[in-house]
Amino acid sequence: MTDAARSAGPSERMCPSTPASNATVFLGMITPAGRVAYVTPAVPAEVGLATVDDSAGPIESQVRLAGPCVTSSCGFWTGSHCGLGARMAASYAETAPPAEESLPKCAIRRTCRWFAEQGPAACPACAHVVTDAR
């Protein structure tokens, strides 16, 4: 884990895939290819959400949002870490060719729960996550 990842305490970690109801940061738009086009620097969620057409389907299927990690209030919390971040990083590593690309520019990497727990392996997988907020 890097010094930057250690700098945020566990209670200050951000979830990189939160529903709009918990969002504080607009991470980016979901492209037609199903990847996140990240926005940097950080944009407040309410600013990014003002541009979303909510008649085009669930907000979370159009944009990626981040918010405070809610730990035990989340169904993915294992009691000690985020099970979704671990599962996504492991699954992506098994199915994708080795990445030679640099990490995407991400507005929350310093405080990201997935990055803090999975390291750089979380980033390529994260770019393919579309939050299911049904």
Side-chain angles (χ1 to χ4, degrees), residues 27-130:
L27 282 183
M29 300 295 294
I30 306 296
T31 69
R35 291 194 62 167
V36 179
Y38 292 98
V39 175
T40 54
V43 172
E46 60 273 7
V47 172
L49 289 171
T51 66
V52 176
D53 177 8
D54 55 1
S55 69
I59 292 169
E60 294 86 357
S61 69
Q62 301 173 61
V63 299
R64 271 290 291 291
L65 302 163
C69 175
V70 296
T71 59
S72 61
S73 296
C74 177
F76 293 111
W77 188 249
T78 68
S80 63
H81 68 278
C82 178
L84 179 60
R87 191 167 65 212
M88 292 302 302
S91 176
Y92 191 81
E94 288 176 8
T95 60
E100 292 186 24
E101 61 187 75
S102 60
L103 298 179
K105 291 184 179 184
C106 175
I108 68 160
R109 184 170 294 123
R110 184 181 61 78
T111 58
C112 178
R113 165 81 53 201
W114 294 1
F115 186 78
E117 293 175 355
Q118 304 303 317
C123 298
C126 182
H128 293 276
V129 173
V130 176

